[in-house]
């Protein structure tokens, strides 16, 4: 194998891991925002329930005043009816008293309705408060988990970056440049191993002469896939079948 290719294969593996680690790290703020948004929704539901309850109490107060006012009016007409001189005036007052009593009944019905629905609003406030408490507790636990996960991902990233520097140090500068050039155009994948006589990345067949040349211990040449231009790498397992046939154990290391 040409000098540096082994390190390059290792570098490629670390780079893929780095892409994944950085992707995950980028997502943490969004994940925390989602957790916070759930708490905000629950908080909004408590506020809405409380407003509805307050409005219902306000209505109740208003209907209580209505009942009192109509009762007061009815009392006034009854008192006046003792002093009237004519039948006509008496009948008119009787009519007013009946009307006021009807209004008292209706106002009392409305009040009762409000008192019943007021209890329902109170229940809704309590339910919303309970839901908020549960959401907050869950959010606190989730945030803690996310923070722990983020810290360990950052540590993994740090370790992977150190590993990358070490692998890169073993790759000659021009090979490293070729790798960067190809990887940039192919989503970070600049090295392709040969699998079933083909480029594992683009699937095109590799000429047998190339595979033969690559399989030779003394080979110093770097080969590229003719289609996708990735740097080719012949895994040790490739010759496994042959070495197994020759009595050697297949090497499963990639
Ligand atoms: Zn290819």
């Amino acid at each position: 194998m040409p000098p540096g290719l082994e390190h390059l294969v290792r570098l490629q593996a670390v780079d893929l891991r780095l892409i994944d680690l950085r992707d995950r790290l980028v997502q943490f703020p969004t994940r925390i925002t989602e957790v916070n948004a759930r708490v905000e929704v629950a908080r909004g539901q408590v506020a809405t329930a409380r407003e509805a309850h307050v409005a219902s109490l306000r209505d109740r107060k208003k209907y209580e005043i209505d009942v009192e006012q109509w009762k007061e009016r009815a009392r006034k007409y009854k008192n006046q009816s003792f002093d009237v001189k004519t039948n006509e005036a008496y009948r008119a007052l009787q009519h007013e008293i009946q009307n006021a009593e009807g209004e008292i009944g209706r106002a009392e019905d409305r009040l009762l309705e409000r008192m019943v629905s007021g209890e329902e609003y109170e229940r809704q406030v309590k339910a919303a408060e309970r839901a908020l408490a549960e959401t907050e507790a869950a959010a606190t636990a989730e945030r803690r988990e996310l923070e722990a996960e983020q810290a360990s991902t950052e540590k993994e990233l740090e370790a992977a970056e150190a590993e990358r520097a070490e692998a890169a140090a073993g790759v000659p500068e021009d090979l490293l440049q070729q790798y960067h050039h190809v990887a940039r155009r192919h989503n970070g994948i600049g090295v392709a191993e040969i699998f079933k006589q083909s480029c594992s990345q683009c699937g095109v067949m590799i000429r047998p002469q190339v595979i033969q040349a690559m399989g030779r211990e003394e080979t110093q040449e770097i080969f590229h896939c003719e289609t996708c231009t990735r740097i080719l790498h012949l895994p040790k397992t490739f010759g496994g079948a042959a070495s197994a046939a020759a009595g050697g154990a297949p090497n499963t290391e990639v």
Side-chain angles (χ1 to χ4, degrees), residues 10-57:
R10 213 175 111 219
L11 180 69
Q12 173 70 84
V14 181
D15 272 351
L16 288 180
R17 218 161 71 228
L18 281 168
I19 289 172
D20 173 57
L21 288 169
R22 289 190 180 118
D23 272 357
R24 271 157 57 197
L25 280 171
V26 162
Q27 283 161 20
F28 280 108
T30 315
R31 290 169 72 188
I32 299 245
T33 305
E34 278 165 8
V35 172
N36 292 342
R38 276 205 294 279
V39 176
E40 279 316 303
V41 168
R43 219 168 258 159
Q45 275 158 353
V46 169
T48 305
R50 278 184 189 151
E51 275 163 31
H53 186 221
V54 166
S56 131
L57 289 177

Side-chain angles (χ1 to χ4, degrees), residues 186 192-193 198-206 224-232:
H186 293 292
E193 73 175 34
S198 303
C199 167
S200 64
Q201 291 301 317
C202 74
V204 85
M205 289 285 281
I206 305 297
H224 291 257
C225 168
E226 286 172 9
T227 304
C228 70
T229 74
R230 287 188 177 92
I231 297 159
L232 290 173

